[in-house]
Amino acid sequence: MSLALVGALLIGVSLGLLGSGGSILTVPVLVYLLGEPPKQAIAESLLIVGGIALLGALPYALRGLVDWRNVLFFGLPGMAGTYLGAWLSRFVSGEVQLLTFALVMLLAAYFMARPSPLRAKGEGSRKPWKIVLDGLAVGALTGFVGVGGGFLIVPALVLLGGLPMHLAIGTSLFIIALKSFAGFYKYLHLLPELGLAVNYGVALLFVGVGTLGSFLGGRLAVRLPQEGLRRGFALFLVAMGAFIVAQSLAQGH
């Protein structure tokens, strides 16, 4: 359990530092360190990441570092997409979800390793209907594999929405919270059909430890070079993605 708590701290630090990456860590921690079934881990991941993201977003909001227009156009459609993704998950096995999750980790590594786009197109340049479609797509991914999608949201907000990095991180955290809670609500109806239940003790412990990590990450974010952090995290994601694929293939034989 002590290793799992270290994982919870890293989940929060990642969210605070980069506005993303927390859920990429949560599912492997719950599955491989606590031995939870994949579907239960995905459901708990949504609750944990949503709670950490919401609490971690508050300091950004108090400093005026949340773009509410993007929260509205990206976050609300994202909630609908997350609900849809969670509904679709009933048609596949937990192993298929884990393999999809591994592919998502590799995609996340690509986004993290790319140089950060420092030139913005200008505030509000992204058409609302395009932001809505982005939100739906990322939301569906959130519900299906239990990721908050910050690794897609942050680049979208910076590249397409024209937001500065720190504003994108604060905005991403609020959007992650909205989408994660929507997906968790759907899983509350799916888990009993599978004979599973949410372990609220573990989830709340992870939220508490992860929130401390997110505050620490937020303080470190202004002091550490973002590029080095992102590339280091990308290497970690590649390693974790390869590990999950190897584990899945070994269990398949």
Side-chain angles (χ1 to χ4, degrees), residues 7 133 140 151 163 173 213 220 227 253:
L133 287 180
F151 62 90
L163 301 187
L173 289 172
L220 289 174
E227 284 307 310
H253 289 295

Side-chain angles (χ1 to χ4, degrees), residues 73 126-134:
F73 287 121
R126 186 75 165 158
K127 289 184 172 63
W129 68 268
K130 290 184 178 179
I131 300 175
V132 167
L133 287 180
D134 290 342

Side-chain angles (χ1 to χ4, degrees), residues 9 28 35 51 70 73 75-76 85 98-100 139 144 201 225 241 245:
L9 189 68
N70 275 287
F73 287 121
L76 294 184
L98 276 183
L99 274 174
T100 307
F144 190 73
V245 171

